[in-house]
Amino acid sequence: METAHSRRRAAPGAVTAFARFVLLGGGVGLTSGFAVAALASCIPWVLANALITVASTLLATELHARFTFGAGRPATRRQHAQSAGSAAAAYTVTCAAMLALQQLVAAPSAMLEQAVYLSASALAGIARFAVLRLAVFTGRRPQTAATARPAPTTGPSPAPPDADAIAPRSAPRSSPAPAVLCCTA
């Protein structure tokens, strides 16, 4: 009997993954936008943004690992760390956008703040999708020497090991080239 953890799902295509990313990440992002605005009424905006960014990144990484990119399992520590790196860049973008707004408009309305914040978040989100799809949730795992497959060789294949024990050695035999580890699937 196969369990959800033992079966491997095929990764969705780019369009499907992007649609899921927009739906799940956008839902988390919209919720985050309102949460930042609410929390910023009690604490400084930059701190509110940082706290909401951390919480939303953890939630979004789990959703993306399980649903968006087809892993069907919780995110690993490595994936959380890599996703956090892309979230740090997104945090920088949203902070820069909001600080620029505050420099350009003396008293921005809540609607203008939301428009700027959500626009910056959308641009950062597109960049995050590319990073998460191409680098974080690729479905590839680093290969070790034990799991790597040697590259195919050309030319005559070496003699089986038992032939060396039977055949007398009159001259030194050149050994075949060492197998090269192939990291592509």
Side-chain angles (χ1 to χ4, degrees), residues 58-71:
L58 290 171
L59 175 60
T61 300
E62 282 301 320
L63 291 172
H64 293 321
R66 294 171 190 245
F67 306 111
T68 302
F69 298 106

Side-chain angles (χ1 to χ4, degrees), residues 14-135:
V15 173
T16 300
F18 188 72
R20 291 176 184 174
F21 181 83
V22 169
L23 181 66
L24 296 172
V28 170
L30 284 173
T31 304
S32 296
F34 292 109
V36 167
L39 194 55
S41 66
C42 305
I43 61 175
W45 185 91
V46 172
L47 180 58
N49 189 24
L51 293 173
I52 297 301
T53 298
V54 168
S56 65
T57 298
L58 290 171
L59 175 60
T61 300
E62 282 301 320
L63 291 172
H64 293 321
R66 294 171 190 245
F67 306 111
T68 302
F69 298 106
R73 62 183 175 272
T76 64
R77 287 183 184 167
R78 178 190 62 81
Q79 290 168 330
H80 273 292
Q82 290 175 325
S83 182
S86 70
Y91 171 75
T92 302
V93 168
T94 56
C95 281
M98 292 304 290
L99 293 173
L101 173 65
Q102 291 171 2
Q103 292 298 314
L104 296 172
V105 179
S109 68
M111 280 301 256
L112 181 58
E113 284 181 337
Q114 283 297 298
V116 170
Y117 176 78
L118 293 175
S119 296
S121 292
L123 291 174
I126 291 168
R128 283 194 75 212
F129 172 78
V131 168
L132 294 177
R133 180 164 171 84
L134 300 174

